[in-house]
């Protein structure tokens, strides 16, 4: 799988799980296998002695340290990425710190990452996490108009994914009525427009509800 200037020999992305689940050891070893390892920046500095006294500084220092260590573990294989939630109060600083340390990609959800291209350089791959075609179109339109840039890949989090998702209580109460396959198809159709405009492939990765080979085959069948 080609993502930006990088290639994954194993086309899998490890989820960015916080607090403290997805750090350098997990992400680095996933990347070492040729996949994409993802570090969550949510309260990432919790192990540092200065965390309670200066949380912001501890988190930024930990972002730097964890990416550096993950890169060393990966031995230049696969990709090392960060998951930075838009909902974080220090969202911009977290993204910029990760880019400064040389992270390969920034994945961003828990809100609409409308300003993400502003905080990265051209070498860093960027991906929004979306749960609807409407959100995908809104983000990609904004990136195109304001930054003349598009996504390098897109992550779709369906209603079975963990984390901060775009589903209402009413939808989840009647979960069996959700025909989410159609939403995935809508997002794929949306990104095709931008593939043509930017003359590049934009891989789509689905997250949530992938338990076995049948689930993988079903997702691949959707495109």
């Amino acid at each position: 799988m080609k993502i930006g200037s990088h290639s994954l020999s194993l086309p899998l992305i490890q989820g960015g799980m916080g607090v403290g689940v997805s750090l350098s050891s997990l992400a680095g070893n996933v990347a070492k296998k040729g996949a994409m390892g993802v570090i969550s920046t949510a309260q990432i500095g919790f192990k540092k002695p200065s965390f309670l006294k200066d949380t912001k500084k501890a988190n930024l220092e930990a972002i730097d340290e964890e990416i550096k260590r993950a890169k060393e573990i990966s031995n230049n294989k696969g990709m090392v990425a960060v998951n930075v939630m838009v909902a974080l109060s220090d969202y911009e600083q977290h993204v910029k710190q990760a880019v400064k340390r040389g992270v390969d990609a920034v994945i961003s959800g828990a809100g609409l990452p409308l300003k993400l291209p502003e905080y990265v350089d051209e070498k860093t791959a960027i991906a929004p996490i979306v749960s609807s075609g409407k959100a995908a179109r809104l983000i990609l339109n904004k990136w195109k108009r304001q930054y003349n840039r598009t996504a390098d890949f897109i992550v779709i989090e369906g209603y079975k994914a963990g984390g901060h998702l775009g589903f209402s209580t009413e939808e989840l109460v009647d979960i069996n009525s959700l025909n989410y396959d159609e939403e995935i198809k809508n997002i794929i159709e949306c990104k095709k427009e931008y593939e043509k405009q930017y003359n590049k492939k934009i891989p789509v990765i689905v997250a949530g509800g992938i338990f076995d080979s049948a689930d993988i085959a079903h997702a691949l069948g959707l495109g």
Side-chain angles (χ1 to χ4, degrees), residues 54-71:
D54 193 342
T55 304
K56 287 186 178 184
K57 185 180 178 185
N59 283 334
L60 292 176
E61 288 175 350
I63 288 170
D64 199 72
E65 293 164 4
E66 295 292 340
I67 292 172
K68 181 174 182 286
R69 183 166 179 264
K71 287 275 199 174

Side-chain angles (χ1 to χ4, degrees), residues 48-215:
K48 298 186 76 64
S50 60
F51 180 70
L52 293 179
K53 189 182 295 183
D54 193 342
T55 304
K56 287 186 178 184
K57 185 180 178 185
N59 283 334
L60 292 176
E61 288 175 350
I63 288 170
D64 199 72
E65 293 164 4
E66 295 292 340
I67 292 172
K68 181 174 182 286
R69 183 166 179 264
K71 287 275 199 174
E72 291 170 351
I73 293 170
S74 73
N75 197 26
N76 295 318
K77 295 175 182 174
M79 292 176 70
V80 173
V82 288
N83 182 303
V84 188
M85 297 191 297
V86 178
L88 294 176
S89 57
D90 299 317
Y91 173 71
E92 178 182 346
Q93 293 93 325
H94 281 208
V95 173
K96 287 181 175 179
Q97 187 66 40
V99 171
K100 185 179 177 182
R101 173 38 76 181
V103 78
D104 297 319
V106 177
I107 302 169
S108 198
L112 300 174
L114 299 177
K115 290 188 174 183
L116 179 56
E118 191 175 316
Y119 308 142
V120 302
D121 56 29
E122 289 297 319
K123 295 183 295 182
T124 310
I126 53 176
I129 298 174
V130 297
S131 57
S132 69
K134 182 180 178 182
R137 189 170 299 280
L138 179 64
I139 293 166
L140 296 181
N141 270 336
K142 172 79 169 180
W143 288 6
K144 178 191 170 186
R145 283 188 289 105
Q146 192 157 341
Y147 305 104
N148 190 28
R149 186 161 181 185
T150 195
D152 294 288
F153 60 106
I154 295 171
V155 177
I156 302 176
E157 283 193 345
Y159 57 88
K160 293 181 180 178
H164 306 263
L165 309 176
F167 297 92
S168 67
T169 302
E170 291 74 22
E171 287 175 313
L172 297 178
V173 165
D174 191 14
I175 201 167
N176 293 324
S177 70
L178 288 175
N179 183 8
Y180 201 64
D181 285 0
E182 289 305 309
E183 200 64 64
I184 292 173
K185 291 177 184 177
N186 289 339
I187 295 168
I188 290 171
E189 283 304 309
C190 172
K191 67 98 179 184
K192 285 179 181 178
E193 300 173 27
Y194 297 89
E195 287 182 321
K196 289 178 183 175
Q197 291 173 28
Y198 286 90
N199 192 29
K200 64 185 286 185
K201 282 288 185 184
I202 304 174
V204 171
I205 291 87
V206 288
I210 307 295
F211 296 104
D212 55 28
S213 60
D215 294 324

